[in-house]
Amino acid sequence: MKEEVEALLKEAEERILAAQTAEELSQARIFYLGRKEGKITELMKRLPGLSVDQKRDVGPILQQLRVTVESLLSIQEKNFAKDELLDLTGRGKTVPTGGEHLLTTTIREIERIFEGFGFLSVAGPEIETERYNFDALNIPADHPAREMWDTLFVAPREEGRLMRTQTSAVQIRYMEKNEPPFQIISVGRVFRHEATDFSHEINFHQAEGLLVGEKVSMANLLYTLDAFFKRFFSGQKIKTRFRPSYFPFVEPGIEVDVYLPGKGWLEMGGAGLVHPKVFQAVKYPKGISGFAFGLGVERLAMVKYGVPDIRFFYQNDMKFLQQFGGEMRLK
Amino acid sequence: MAPFVKSAEDVRERLTTHLFEVEDIVGDTIDIKILPNRYDAASYLGLTRELYAAAGKRWKEKKLTKVRVVKKGSVKAVIQTKKCARCMTVYMEGVRISPSPKWLQDVLLHSGMRPINNVVDVTNYVTLMTGQPLHAFDFQKMEGKQIVVREAKQGEEVKLLTGEQIFFQKGELMLADTRGALDLAGIKGGERAEINAETEDIVLTAANFDGTTVRETARRVGVITDASSRFAHGLSAELVGAGMEMAINLLIKITGAKLGKTFDAYPKKALAKKIVFDPDRILEILGVEITPKEMKKILQDAGFGFSGKQIIVPSVRTDIETIEDVAEEVGRIYGYNNFSLISPQVYLFSNEEEGLHMLERVVRERLIATSYQEIKTHSFVSEREAEETGNWGVIGDEGEAVKIENPTAALYARGRKTLITLGKEVVKRAAKDFSQVRMFEIGNVYVKNIGKVKEETVATFFSSSREREGIREVKGVLQAIIKNISPSSLIEEQKDDKLFLSLQGKVVGVVGHAEGVAYGEISLTRLLSFISFEKKYEAESVYPVTFRDISFSLSREVSFGELESEMIKAGRELLSDFYQRDEYKKEGKSIFTYRMYFQSKEKTLTNEEVDGRMSDIIQSLSKNGVEIF
């Protein structure tokens, strides 16, 4: 039997090394080590029938044979496995992911920049009183400037409530409760009685900034706006331009335009030094000064991300949401 | 009029950076957006003065040729109301009505006005030049020899040039003769004394009316004109004289009219406003180094005078009242784009981020991490939507949806009381194409109760997963959010088909399912009083977890909530967690599989210990009418 074993070892070595494919190798494994009819298995099965001496003689070499063939097979199998690499080229699967709305992304960008400048984010109510939205902002009831804001009123009109037309109302609320110096930013929803089109929505967002202290100047305001836009549009060579304008709650009043290469000058918002009458309305002492500005959030998002229609922000079309947000799997 | 200006583009540049935004240039016409406080400059002369000042030059207005009174005829001007500061009338005889010369017609056409006849055209032209509205009446068609500016009695009437019949309301303004109204003052002339081909003698009028009255009347009758807009924005009474002078001059030249008597009713002549010249204050406001001398020159170019330490404000500038206004003049004419930019001093806050702001951010981040996509919907809903779904949210039936007095469309008739109304529609639409749609919105909702309006910020999330799974999912999300930010435990209560969740007796959330969409809504405003972001490490068991599955069918009416509390009671300290793993039908019965996890804090559990506790659970469930499989 010893000879038989040696012959088998030689044969197995040759066959295994000669194998050209994984299939041939797998056949060789069955041929020698198969649980039912493997050659080596059969020899092993014969072992119990042998005499004690024979067992002592053949046992170890048989065992040796099995181990040798087994390791030879595994080595060769590994070599062949290299030829059958895992195929990684198929398309990745969509893993459902949550995502932020583009307006939130824009709002967070604005807040982050101003928070970096040291401004504190604060909020105010969307349903306001005429006092906060108009009167305290130096826009008395018969003031023609009220026509600048097409207002949605809450019924009944006599109760003096309205959907705030601008976030400037937050200025008054904050100043009533806090003493200068401070600087705040308030981003929120505002409303207008306007027909909807590609650049008008019944509701949209404004970012309101207010810095109050001593000897706050126009030069400070221009610096702040310029610094903001440079960061907001970082990577683009932008320029800012300031034009005279009129808002009853500031004096002097300006509008700010941003020049974007390829797009020209684009109007971005209004600003100015806080009007002394506004400080009077919140009973601040003389000698206090400050600046305020209001920027259109949708406008900034449209310019930065190339969105052509303001209505897209509120239509919640999945394709639009996914462009800037998470991913969902099609059915 | 300003020879140094080279082109329309040049005008755009100069005006935009120093005065008004130029909206459009078409051919020879420049479309300018007039600021509401600067109607003094809404004229060719006004713009010329501004262009000169912006260029660092001073404009000298051309003196008009002196005209002589040659006729005795007169029509007196009488003011009988405080709502008119000044009224001038001039009688002119022998006008020859004809079309205007071409240059005059061209100016009107380019300014968007239709030439009518030489008299009317002159009044319109003078308005464009000076900013002062004027009107000429046919003397022969008037009754009496005076024009009275007075407030209307209720129900008086006038037929306008357009043929429209207007009934006055008490207190509205008119120019009247002995018979009655000649016009709708400051807005539109009347038909009765209209100038036409037969007109020979005219009465030219110019007046200054109260802006608010004109604005309100114009809006009430729906006749908004160039004149009414000008008055509405507040003109100086001094303009009346300038307008009159130019009009008389032109009418004599163009229509051959002979000048009669002039009347000027001007009860309280406007005094020139004076403001103390304070260069330091101006410097403080602007923050740029402009010398007092430069300031003075800029102001003089803009028409301001100086008398000692006082600045004399030009009479037409009704907008200038304080030193801040003067600083603005200096700043804009100097040019904001020539300013050096100087960083403000910033105060370092020790204040924390506002609670609601932080809560919004934390909840949003968590929902996104839980694979929910953020959406934004309108703040308004229709009457029907408000009625049908208004009570679904966390505010529930605590009042009615806020009604909008003047909605732009029926879709926007009410303020939203919950974000579920519009959000579920978005989800339904997306679920047609996408599997397992998960969305959320964070926003404000409003409710009105006995005259009080309440506003809350809520976070609302949706899942299109099928019914029971969807509900468990949004409920799980809601519980996880609250667990993350509040140490208090949630108490739940099912009412009809909705589950309300409260903290210390206050409802903070709701969960439900409708129209194939599972929804949850949390009031962040209410949650504010329960939040705590403080967390402490707690030692976890180091011994292994084992689990057992159990399947059962419900054989009588018993809620999952009740069964689950039985499981917790029977599993005691060893039952560390469980969840519903599967639901299937067998022989018409719904079978539910739960997986129960066991773990001890003290040792590795043996099979016998786990099985013992399992049989306690099975026993307890069986008592509650559950059939074990």
Side-chain angles (χ1 to χ4, degrees), chain A residues 108-292:
Chain A
R108 293 295 298 146
E109 282 172 349
I110 297 168
E111 286 180 340
R112 251 195 302 274
I113 294 172
F114 281 108
E115 280 162 9
F117 289 171
F119 284 59
L120 182 76
S121 276
V122 301
E126 292 171 4
I127 295 186
E128 266 297 0
T129 60
E130 295 203 32
R131 165 171 154 68
Y132 286 105
N133 196 78
F134 289 128
D135 299 339
L137 288 166
N138 192 30
I139 320 171
D142 60 349
H143 200 291
R146 276 208 186 189
E147 285 175 16
M148 289 167 75
W149 295 275
D150 299 301
T151 311
L152 285 165
F153 291 95
V154 169
R157 178 85 188 258
E158 310 81 74
E159 288 176 4
R161 287 197 192 89
L162 46 80
M163 303 305 299
R164 68 172 173 189
T165 57
Q166 16 127 343
T167 39
S168 305
V170 181
Q171 289 183 20
I172 306 297
R173 290 191 176 271
Y174 191 82
M175 287 193 283
E176 279 183 342
K177 291 201 177 120
N178 297 274
E179 293 299 323
F182 60 78
Q183 57 283 329
I184 54 165
I185 177 95
S186 184
V187 190
R189 220 174 245 227
V190 297
F191 309 85
R192 295 284 166 89
H193 184 276
E194 275 176 344
T196 320
D197 65 23
F198 75 96
S199 63
H200 294 90
E201 255 291 0
I202 188 154
N203 48 228
F204 56 99
H205 294 75
Q206 270 185 353
E208 182 83 15
L210 174 69
L211 179 145
V212 180
E214 271 175 33
K215 296 193 177 170
V216 179
S217 71
M218 285 299 281
N220 294 154
L221 169 62
L222 306 191
Y223 176 93
T224 307
L225 290 171
D226 185 71
F228 166 74
F229 286 114
K230 287 208 168 110
R231 274 182 68 172
F232 187 79
F233 292 108
S234 68
Q236 301 197 59
K237 284 211 160 114
I238 66 127
K239 285 185 277 187
T240 49
R241 175 173 80 179
F242 306 100
R243 292 182 281 110
S245 191
Y246 172 72
F247 307 97
F249 37 93
V250 290
E251 186 71 45
I254 55 163
E255 264 171 274
V256 52
D257 298 339
V258 170
Y259 180 85
L260 281 139
K263 289 184 188 148
W265 288 104
L266 300 164
E267 190 178 319
M268 289 296 172
L273 292 193
V274 179
H275 198 289
K277 284 191 182 158
V278 173
F279 285 141
Q280 273 168 33
V282 297
K283 303 192 171 71
Y284 273 6
K286 281 213 164 131
I288 293 293
S289 57
F291 66 66

Side-chain angles (χ1 to χ4, degrees), chain A residues 305-319:
Chain A
Y305 298 97
V307 178
D309 192 323
I310 193 172
R311 290 169 294 195
F312 290 178
F313 293 116
Y314 300 93
Q315 278 164 354
N316 298 301
D317 177 75
M318 277 297 277
K319 298 259 168 62

Side-chain angles (χ1 to χ4, degrees), chain B residues 488-513:
Chain B
S488 325
S489 55
L490 269 177
I491 305 298
E492 38 184 89
E493 187 188 355
Q494 180 161 359
K495 280 184 208 155
D496 300 327
D497 57 348
K498 284 197 277 290
L499 186 74
F500 291 89
L501 297 111
S502 347
L503 287 172
Q504 296 171 31
K506 190 164 193 173
V507 173
V508 293
V510 66
V511 167
H513 188 280

Side-chain angles (χ1 to χ4, degrees), chain A residues 99 104 111 126 142 147 151 153 155 161 183 189 193 201 218 220 242 251 253 315-316 326 329 331, chain B residues 215 219 285 325 328 337 342 347 357 373-374 376-379 403 405 429 431 433 435 446 451 455:
Chain A
T104 300
E111 286 180 340
E126 292 171 4
D142 60 349
E147 285 175 16
T151 311
F153 291 95
R161 287 197 192 89
Q183 57 283 329
R189 220 174 245 227
H193 184 276
E201 255 291 0
M218 285 299 281
N220 294 154
F242 306 100
E251 186 71 45
Q315 278 164 354
N316 298 301
R329 213 176 280 161
K331 268 186 175 162
Chain B
R215 182 161 48 99
R219 202 189 288 159
I285 291 167
D325 299 326
E328 175 169 50
N337 300 309
I342 301 166
Y347 169 76
H357 192 260
Q373 168 64 45
E374 189 180 21
K376 298 257 183 208
T377 63
H378 283 130
S379 294
K403 193 174 158 75
E405 174 92 22
R429 211 168 59 225
D433 300 325
S435 67
Y446 332 101
E455 188 172 330

Side-chain angles (χ1 to χ4, degrees), chain A residues 90-97 327-329:
Chain A
R91 186 173 197 175
K93 190 175 167 180
T94 303
V95 179
T97 322
E327 294 220 49
M328 266 179 224
R329 213 176 280 161

